Amino acid sequence: MRFWAGFGIILYTMNLHVIIGEDDFLVAEAARKAVGDGTGLEVIDSQNSTNAELQLADIRAADDSFSTPPFLDPRKVTWWKNVHFLPAGGKKGAAEAVKEALERFAKRLASMPLPENQVFILSGPHLLKTSVFAKTLAPVAEMAVFAAGKPWEEQQRATVFAIDRAASLGLRFAPGAAERFVSVVGTDARSLLSELGKMRDYLGEGKDVIAAEDVAAVTSPGVGVEPAVWDVTDAIGRRDIGAALAALAKFELENGFAVFMSGVIEKFFRQLLDVKAGRTEGLNPYALRKNEGFLRNWAPQELRVARGRFLLLREKVVSGTTSGDTLVVTELVRVMRRASSARRAG
């Protein structure tokens, strides 16, 4: 048994495979390694099995396929995919009848070794490692778990993935550009690949280095990625008022804009003060390097004043004493221009 987290390499040594993860591209890529050339492939898709009746029918279909050997065929592969009703913990679990049927099926899978020319693959978004189902299969199945980690860990894994896949397209990232690319696209593997393909076309055959300005010019947010709040904070860190206001404008139509953005900006100034004071515990290395660079643009007193103004603004908008939407822009311009004036005076 092997558990793999993140964007790992999976080695298959058994004919029974359990592949778990929310990133459908990574799950499908892992499954394709076991599927091989597709000879004898039979697919059971539980994507739309939203009630107990349909789920029980899928379990029976998977059992029937598992129980039917290849006979005279050269190979048989069963891929039971999108099994979203596996034991996953929490209150909203599958119906008791479905849970019991899954446990019975797991016992059958564990007790009947497959012949060399038969493969069974089960994939789904979640599986509780301590469940009876998982414990029953763990000793006999090759298990791949693409587990979600902390946000900064996911960013790092996605960055490694992007660098590796860019290399397969004959591309490499300039320093800092890979992190920027992932910050825009997100950590979804399919979106990263799609944006890399778009980047390859954009650069053409005469260029093989992806620079930060290329990312800014052509890269779009991936699946489920909202406008990048770090576009605002990065521009503030650089003291680029124009870029900060342009990034801020992407959020202005959102509900709760003033509460959210005043909190984001206050936290950013607080984080810069922490880095200045050496309080960096829990900050990932990339963010630390970036913030250390931003500190060259801000004096400690300027940071304290800026943080104080946005802390006060947030208190006002949370309490409802002001709407705050226009004040966010006004305060941001004020603290950034004050910094510019101080710099000129110095």
Side-chain angles (χ1 to χ4, degrees), residues 52-63 80 85-87 94-109 122 132-133:
E53 182 180 356
L54 293 173
Q55 292 165 3
L56 288 168
D58 286 351
I59 296 171
R60 289 192 295 270
D63 195 349
W80 186 17
F85 45 89
L86 295 174
E96 192 63 29
V98 173
K99 180 181 175 182
E100 292 173 357
L102 283 169
E103 291 178 0
R104 287 195 299 271
F105 183 45
K107 290 176 182 177
R108 281 180 54 74
L109 290 171
L122 184 154
V132 172
F133 186 90

Side-chain angles (χ1 to χ4, degrees), residues 228-259:
V229 70
W230 42 81
D231 284 345
V232 177
T233 54
D234 282 2
I236 295 171
R238 298 193 308 271
R239 300 178 105 158
D240 186 336
I241 294 178
L245 294 180
L248 199 66
K250 298 177 183 178
F251 296 88
E252 285 183 325
L253 296 179
E254 299 291 331
N255 291 330
F257 163 76
V259 173

